[in-house]
Amino acid sequence: MKKDDHLFLIDGSGFIFRAFHALPPLTRKSDGLPVGAVSGFCNMLWKLLTQARDTSVGVTPTHLAVIFDFSSQTFRKEIYPDYKAHRPPPPEDLVPQFSLIREATRAFNLPCIEMEGYEADDIIATYARLAVEAGGDATIISSDKDLMQLVGPRVHMYDGMKDRQIGVPEVIEKWGVPPEKMIDLQALTGDSVDNVPGVPGIGPKTAATLLEEFGDLDNLLANAETIKQNKRRENIIASRELVQISRQLVTLKQDCPVELPLEALSLEPQDGPKLVSFLKAMEFNSLTRRVAEATGAEAQAIDAAPVDVEWGTSAHGPDLDPGAGTAPAAKQAGSADVGQGTRPADLAAARAARFAALPIDRDGYETIRDLTSLQGWIEAARERGLVAFDTETTSLDAMQAELVGFSLALYDEDAKDKPVRAAYVPLTHKSGHDDLLGGGLAEGQIRFDDALAALKGLLEDEAVKKIAQNLKYDYLVMRRHGITVKNFDDTMLISYVLDSGMGGHGMDALSEKWLGHQPIPYKEVAGSGRNMVTFDHVDIARATAYAAEDADVTLRLWLVLKPRLAAEKVTSVYERLERPLLPVLAAMEERGISVDRQILSRLSGELAQKAAALEDEIYELAGERFNIGSPKQLGDILFGKMGLPGGKKTKSGQWSTAVQVLDDLAAEGLPLPSRIVDWRQMTKLKSTYTDALPGYIHPETRRVHTSYSLASTTTGRLSSSEPNLQNIPVRTAEGRKIRTAFIATPGHKLLSADYSQIELRVLAHVADIAQLKQAFADGIDIHAMTASEMFGVPVEGMPGEVRRRAKAINFGIIYGISAFGLANQLAIERSEAGDYIKRYFERFPGIRDYMEKTKAEARDRGYVETIFGRRIHYPEIKSSNHQVRSFNERAAINAPIQGSAADIIRRAMVRIEPELAAAGLGDSTKMLLQVHDELIFEVEDAAAEKAQAMIVDVMENAAMPAVSMAVPLKVDARAAQNWDEAH
DNA sequence: ACGTACACCTA
DNA sequence: GTAGGTGTACGTC
């Protein structure tokens, strides 16, 4: 190679992925072979070979090579085992294209270079260096930022898809640093795709600023102490060592022992017939024609080349099986049950130690493909009386999900090295790919009905304990096939009872926490986004690894967690408040509630008209059109352009346009803020409710089925989602109209029963406040009583404003009051709010004592308790950060109150259905919804009165006999045609 | 496609 | 001041 020679280095691996995602899907016509990326690749190569001078590269190559990754096992994994650890498998349609692209390269008569242990980027770096040393130039065909560190006066990059040259100025423009500092920048920011660690909170912009200021990374790390921003300084200092590793990871190796010398990359003339033969085989007709014309080959006379396609696991291509080799090495095993005593605490500790040490063996999972084997597993489960169970389906929505398969796991106590074995039973996996027929059933699956019949016997067997994670989901799926799971445990609920406040209770989090094991992410099995497939299109071997692992992990979690319930004395919380609620909620979800589409549609139209009219007024008043829904644009108009007073900033420095701010401006008589507040209300109601709710109407049941989460609050409350039916508007008349769309079926009524002031009653009970207890016993207006005590105003003829303030204080107490918060709520000075609180505590010293006692308990034990023994942990209550500590203190004060109320309604919910059934109301009265202190039923007209009395009775006595409340619980109930009138 | 900020609905 | 979920805008991968 000599001066003026020009080497093109094509990043083949990068191109494959980019082409696949950027280009429309293309398949070979005759057999559906996916070839979109191959087509893009061939077109680009041809263009570069024939017209490079006419593109923005502007030169014709004299040398050219296409470089590929060999495998993901490179020297970088030795430096940092997690490097590229989270890579999902390539999309199914891309797999066969890896080998095709290599064949394409050879068909073009070009060197195809890959080296074991090195990434394509390293080889490119090496050849670029060699070319420059030989006096030539190099152009790298790629847009990957990882290669930008190589850019210099003699080395350029070219983005073939955008026809854009990338030189030193372009790198600076995009990243804010010159190419030689790209390594430092990448080390600082890290790379989430390749799993290169960086400094948290530092992105490209911050990194560039820092490098500008300190010159380079070494200098930055040496002088990190001088950085002003607290968080940033701490993060950089804490990440020092990782950043050094990251620098090694992102630095390309320019001295790979390449086999081919530069001379071997010299461009040779095309072998027309060979190339045409390949292109014909790919059925790229227009390119075939162009190449034939240019090379003088007789396209008609040339046969399509035989092409081998590698569909499965290939020696090439990155991480086709990310499951392999990523299982953590066994930790210090220690002998299995040494030290195991008979006490639950010892058992729990020994189990935790044992299973954390025992690696998970995905290769040992079995795929059950015939009924006899399944019956064998079921028999084994019966012998043990214990089996872990998990379903695989087509949807996260249990009401829509189609069963695809299920997995089982069994425990062999005596098998020291392999105590858990697991299997997957595929049922409705599809064969083949997206062909026109949609793919029939894959072979080797048990007939659906036969498998379900066998499974039904097991799941409904009271003598066999079924263990699952988040069983409510599987329970519902099985219910829809006529199976009711009996005798179960749910590891999610066990964890929730044991460790509320200590992090999530999902399987991945629990597995990581207790087993030190990361289960295969769902994304890696089914893909994500545009490429996601439903589970029935996952290859059965992969599905087995994923599904059986879930059952395996669930069983291990149960073995670790279950003994802790007794050891930590919270068994009754689990057995009385959690486990029995699961079937109750499943039934409520399965029933759903009837929502009138027409009412919502009419409301939506009304809201749209009102919003449109307001929009016109707003644009007129503002003097220009803008996006009213953008707080940023709105803030700029109000406080920038119009210069209105009273602007406050949000914590990110934007103008606040919160309703409080706008209301203040509206109170000054300004029309614009008031229109905006109205517009917000209209569009909120429209988008969140009238437009969204109809989309949740189930196609078959024609009802709306929310999903309740039993374990996503810290306090014991439920949460509702998809849709959230716990936040349907009620405060304003406009909003309440939405509730009129929730209706009873003909011949029925909706019955709403809600606890009156339940949290204040709980407070009166737990804090033992004489005046409060007396007031509730006498049925006095509690807020008026509070106001009377505090301000010495008689209850008779009390001004509304006085009562409103007392009410805000009462709520404040429940929320762990602060002067800051109360001042905000009442729009008064902080000092005035402080005075109120002081006066309140003078009148109700017992409340102050209770709060101090609760905080001390949280500090001493790390948790607080509800009156039924539910524990809520506050691991950060001793934080040295004042804000964090105060927040935890307020939450700890609130938790026993909110949580006890939540426990009471849970108890009511568990009891209500058996009571109704015993009274012969089981068929006529159905519980549908729970909204924290309210239960909504659908009841036949004739049964409404009797049901109402019974429901009120159960709810008011729900704390008994576990706790005898020092104040009565009061429940208001009403039945009507819709939820608005019933409430 | 995904995450965060903001705003706002409920108890 | 407690506990949630969702829609929109907007920035980044």
Side-chain angles (χ1 to χ4, degrees), chain A residues 505-695:
Chain A
H505 310 282
M507 198 183 73
D508 291 356
L510 294 181
S511 175
E512 187 66 48
K513 183 171 170 179
W514 295 105
L515 310 175
H517 170 75
Q518 192 196 350
I520 306 173
Y522 186 77
K523 276 201 302 202
E524 288 190 8
V525 178
S528 69
R530 189 167 76 80
N531 300 306
M532 187 153 74
V533 297
T534 47
F535 203 78
D536 51 343
H537 288 96
V538 172
D539 160 76
I540 291 179
R542 258 201 99 54
T544 295
Y546 174 82
E549 180 183 40
D550 276 5
D552 183 353
V553 166
T554 301
L555 182 51
R556 289 171 198 244
L557 287 173
W558 183 85
L559 289 162
V560 172
L561 294 175
K562 179 81 183 206
R564 284 185 57 208
L565 287 174
E568 296 171 33
K569 302 188 172 21
V570 285
T571 307
S572 73
V573 175
Y574 173 67
E575 292 185 352
R576 300 285 175 92
L577 299 175
E578 303 291 338
R579 201 172 56 186
L581 193 58
L582 188 155
V584 173
L585 289 175
M588 292 165 67
E589 292 179 17
E590 194 180 3
R591 287 176 197 131
I593 186 166
S594 186
V595 173
D596 189 323
R597 219 184 255 282
Q598 287 182 334
I599 294 179
L600 290 177
S601 162
R602 184 167 45 72
L603 284 174
S604 178
E606 289 172 18
L607 291 167
Q609 292 209 333
K610 288 178 184 167
L614 287 164
E615 261 164 53
D616 290 342
E617 283 191 71
I618 288 167
Y619 294 148
E620 180 74 23
L621 288 162
E624 64 176 298
R625 298 174 69 85
F626 64 102
N627 183 348
I628 311 169
S630 161
K632 187 164 125 62
Q633 293 183 32
L634 178 60
D636 286 344
I637 298 262
L638 290 177
F639 303 106
K641 179 187 156 198
M642 304 181 67
L644 296 185
K648 284 195 288 190
K649 295 286 180 80
T650 66
K651 64 176 171 237
S652 65
Q654 282 294 323
W655 291 112
S656 167
T657 64
V659 69
Q660 290 211 335
V661 174
L662 299 181
D663 271 342
D664 286 348
L665 292 170
E668 311 261 319
L670 292 164
L672 180 56
S674 129
R675 299 293 181 280
I676 289 164
V677 170
D678 290 344
W679 181 88
R680 284 226 182 116
Q681 197 199 4
M682 300 307 143
T683 52
K684 171 80 181 178
L685 293 176
K686 183 171 185 294
S687 69
T688 310
Y689 302 103
T690 63
D691 290 353
L693 279 172

Side-chain angles (χ1 to χ4, degrees), chain A residues 769-780:
Chain A
I769 309 298
Q771 302 107 300
L772 287 180
K773 289 196 289 188
Q774 191 61 50
F776 280 124
D778 297 345
I780 294 173

Side-chain angles (χ1 to χ4, degrees), chain A residues 138-170:
Chain A
T139 291
I140 299 162
I141 316 297
S142 171
S143 57
D144 191 338
K145 70 167 188 312
D146 297 350
L147 287 162
M148 291 189 184
Q149 57 184 269
L150 301 173
V151 170
R154 309 280 295 281
V155 179
H156 286 78
M157 286 174 70
Y158 172 69
D159 178 346
M161 292 193 174
K162 292 187 180 152
D163 187 27
R164 205 173 74 102
Q165 178 100 341
I166 303 166
V168 175
E170 286 79 14

